[in-house]
Amino acid sequence: MSARASALIRHRLVWPVAALLVLLAVDVVHTPGFLAVRMQDGHLYGGPIDILRYGAPLVLISVGMTLVIATRGIDLSVGAVVAIAGALACLRIEKLSDPGSVGGVLAAVGVAVVVAAALGLWNGILVARFRIQPIVATLILMVAGRGLAQLITQGQIITVNSGPYHVIGAGFLLAVPVPVLIAAAVTVLVALLLRRTALGLLLESVGGNAEASRLVGIRAAGLIAGVYVVCACCAAVAGLMISSNVSAADSNNAGLWIELDAILAVVLGGTALTGGRFHLGGTVLGALVIQTLTTTIYTIGVPPETTLLFKALVVIAVCLVQSPVFRAKVFPARPDRQRAAPTAPDTEDGVVAAAPSEPEAVHR
């Protein structure tokens, strides 16, 4: 195998791309016209459009989760925030005298996002100021938040009939689904902020060593709290999309287990849970893999009671193939290649360092 091919195989995005192509191939085999995109009534429809549309909430949450994981944190409460945001918006719209009022819908959306930002700040304070482990701090809101969403809706499914609100999750703009445009805009904005400013480097520094970052003058606590706020806002917008798409708030099922899908998307994209370096583009690709897998499960008719098991098996297979340790054990290098591999001395700036003489070595 050539060096270029070997480097390509080791690239972090190769296996997620391969998994995505395999899933799409399965969909095409089962439904020959799956990849066909058609224009109907001025709107784009088709299998790829559905994947992008229904995957938009997961992409948003995964982008926010990437920032949290970059600081060596985790946020298990995003599913609860999804339910709370949808419940608040639908409850407020239901009480409007005119549910079709654009101003009333915008106010409801604003309330949901502000409350979500407050919840994210709560998580950030627990983690950054009180040094509670992120998995514990966000687990509190994961449990209590779901109960809060049910309290808001009084355990009922709130249905709304609002054209402006329906646009958020099921509308089209320039023939493209609005959720896709929202997810793309947020992703591009976050990418520009992270890569065109020092913010991305600061997040990686905090994730690598928060204490060392604090000692050199970086406000680690503020950055950590900030990423939890951003993650919660992303979850709130995703919750608005989900509830808008069905014109109802189901506090019991909205966003259920979506936090696990978001974490899987981040990991599939090549970001380590240990913090530090993160890959936003890989996260988006990982989210699309997860959504394509969900679509494939429904397409091939996997029984509902085995859906989660089937999904877990596919994800663990992709993760194992990504693991260099697993590949080394399953596909060991040939002995002749190992013998042929040169053991060059340490180099610096491309110049081979001279081997020290025996007296120098003893002196060292």
Side-chain angles (χ1 to χ4, degrees), residues 172-190:
F172 287 83
L173 180 62
L174 301 176
V176 181
V178 170
V180 176
L181 295 177
I182 294 175
V186 172
T187 302
V188 171
L189 177 61
V190 172

Side-chain angles (χ1 to χ4, degrees), residues 250-308:
D250 184 357
S251 58
N252 189 41
N253 294 311
L256 190 63
W257 308 125
I258 199 171
E259 58 273 359
L260 302 184
D261 284 347
I263 295 171
L264 285 174
V266 174
V267 173
L268 287 177
T271 299
L273 294 178
T274 52
R277 293 292 300 273
F278 61 92
H279 309 284
L280 203 59
T283 293
V284 175
L285 178 60
L288 293 178
V289 170
I290 297 296
Q291 181 58 44
T292 305
L293 173 58
T294 303
T295 302
T296 303
I297 289 173
Y298 294 137
T299 300
I300 64 179
V302 174
E305 59 271 13
T306 61
T307 296
L308 293 177

Side-chain angles (χ1 to χ4, degrees), residues 151-281:
L151 184 63
I152 293 172
T153 62
Q154 296 182 353
Q156 305 296 320
I157 296 179
I158 300 177
T159 58
V160 295
N161 184 15
S162 173
Y165 187 64
H166 190 64
V167 169
I168 298 175
F172 287 83
L173 180 62
L174 301 176
V176 181
V178 170
V180 176
L181 295 177
I182 294 175
V186 172
T187 302
V188 171
L189 177 61
V190 172
L192 289 176
L193 288 175
L194 294 178
R195 297 310 180 191
R196 297 298 182 181
T197 68
L199 183 59
L201 183 61
L202 294 177
L203 290 179
E204 291 180 347
S205 175
V206 171
N209 192 323
E211 185 61 22
S213 300
R214 185 187 65 81
L215 293 176
V216 298
I218 299 176
R219 296 182 178 180
L223 285 173
I224 292 174
V227 296
Y228 281 96
V229 172
V230 172
C231 187
C233 290
C234 289
V237 177
L240 296 174
M241 288 181 181
I242 293 173
S243 62
S244 167
N245 188 45
V246 296
S247 297
D250 184 357
S251 58
N252 189 41
N253 294 311
L256 190 63
W257 308 125
I258 199 171
E259 58 273 359
L260 302 184
D261 284 347
I263 295 171
L264 285 174
V266 174
V267 173
L268 287 177
T271 299
L273 294 178
T274 52
R277 293 292 300 273
F278 61 92
H279 309 284
L280 203 59

Side-chain angles (χ1 to χ4, degrees), residues 87-108:
L88 284 173
C90 288
L91 181 64
R92 188 174 179 88
I93 292 173
E94 184 194 35
K95 293 182 178 180
L96 291 176
S97 58
D98 180 14
S101 169
V102 175
V105 170
L106 291 177

Side-chain angles (χ1 to χ4, degrees), residues 25-102:
V26 172
D27 291 328
V28 170
V29 169
H30 192 272
T31 307
F34 182 81
L35 294 180
V37 177
R38 67 186 186 279
M39 181 74 75
Q40 182 177 340
D41 298 330
H43 301 156
L44 290 174
Y45 292 96
I49 301 299
D50 289 340
I51 291 175
L52 293 175
R53 175 184 170 186
Y54 294 113
L58 179 58
V59 169
L60 273 177
I61 295 176
S62 300
V63 167
M65 188 71 73
T66 302
L67 305 184
V68 172
I69 290 178
T71 61
R72 199 177 290 186
I74 202 79
D75 192 347
L76 299 179
S77 66
V78 289
V81 174
V82 165
I84 292 172
L88 284 173
C90 288
L91 181 64
R92 188 174 179 88
I93 292 173
E94 184 194 35
K95 293 182 178 180
L96 291 176
S97 58
D98 180 14
S101 169
V102 175

